[in-house]
Amino acid sequence: MKKFFQEIKADIKFKSAGAGQKLTESAAEKAPKPKTNQPARQQSRQGPTNEAQMAAAAALARLEQKQPRARGPSSQDLMRSQVKKELPAEETVSGSSGTNMVSEPKEEGSTPLAVPGVYFTCPLTGDILRKDQRDTRIKEAILSHFSTDPVAASIMKIHTFNKDRDRVKLGVDTIAKYLDNIHLHPEEEKYRKIKLQNKVFQERINCLEGAHEFFEAIGFQKTLLPVPDQEVPEEFYVLSEAALAQPESLERHKEQLLSGEPVRATLIRQRRVFRPSPMASQFDLPSDFFNLTAEEAKREQKLRSEAVERLSMLRTKAMREKEEQREMRKYTYTLLRVRLPDGCLLQGTFYARERVAALYSFVREALQNDWLPFELLASCGQKLSEDENLAFNECGLVPSALLTFSWDMAVLEDIKAAGAKPDSSILKPELLLTIEKLS
């Protein structure tokens, strides 16, 4: 049908173009010929009327509506595009606090990075680990520890392999209760047996990685025992006679289990000292500062899905401040530089949730006169107090920031009045030997 109407339109245009001519005709032959008195030919076919053309156009429109169209953007696509347009405006406003925020990680290799990456030390082996190696290598170190100390290894596995801290605490408290019953009632056999299909055991202990290894390491053995009013025997943990004869060991293992902590790699500060530089506030960070874990990615997706609704509503100052703090919490690490009075720069890597006191300790360890009090100021002039229990992300010092160091002037005046003079060198000599040029 559509092709039929297109042919009609083409025929109308062809007939309205006038008389045709041959391609081989000369210019003279193209001249108009005089009219003759021949009888008029039959009137040429008339084009469709206005009503017919309107009907044809309506038919074409119906045909086009039936044909599949290219899929337009969904509501989620429109939301994403809206968020991409509006979020940078918010970041520009919130970035006025003086913190050197980096919106996107630069491609590694294009410019020198401020730090090569985020690195850790394994507390069990002392190995230096990259961020992507940290969890795997720690688990390997714990598993290898079973050959030397199975009790300590199983305790480390319970506290490290299981991420739900509430579930770990519930399971550990339940195991401690089992051991308390044995310690308080050593003569009663029922406390020395634990039914594996027991509801409490299944819900609180069986789900914990390392729990079975712990029971076996402290002297429990799996045994099939008959159950009253039941034909099929069931599996129990039964405490061995050798373990029962050493109640002090069970009590010690219980205390070790209760006081256990997750094995965490130690963040390497990567302390560096730079000469005075006008590029002190420029930070080219590696991807380690921006890559998100699966949990962080889900949290980021949830934040972005709420962005359009958040931006469209009227918010109070308290609401805006709360949302800014939530935005800061998505960073795991931060790179901090401290500008000293002589212009030199002291740089270190920190967790974003570490307290300001960690930075004061870091700076104090590098000072020649570490006993002198000093202050640290953010770029916006905000004084960071060592006594305040604030994290770096709560102060807006993520994912990087430049701070200014200054001595306590009242103390310096007292020193001068006493006739003493502090050392001219601010940093320790061994650190000045490693000073670099910031590029």
Side-chain angles (χ1 to χ4, degrees), residues 318-359:
M319 293 171 64
R320 289 195 301 270
E321 290 176 351
K322 183 177 180 181
E323 288 162 5
E324 289 173 4
Q325 292 296 333
R326 185 172 61 178
E327 181 72 11
M328 293 296 181
R329 292 192 187 101
K330 71 181 182 181
Y331 296 104
T332 307
Y333 311 101
T334 183
L335 186 67
L336 302 178
R337 285 181 187 152
V338 177
R339 194 201 307 270
L340 302 172
D342 59 1
C344 291
L345 303 168
L346 180 64
Q347 175 179 289
T349 304
F350 298 82
Y351 285 108
R353 293 177 177 84
E354 282 190 85
R355 304 301 168 182
V356 173
L359 179 60

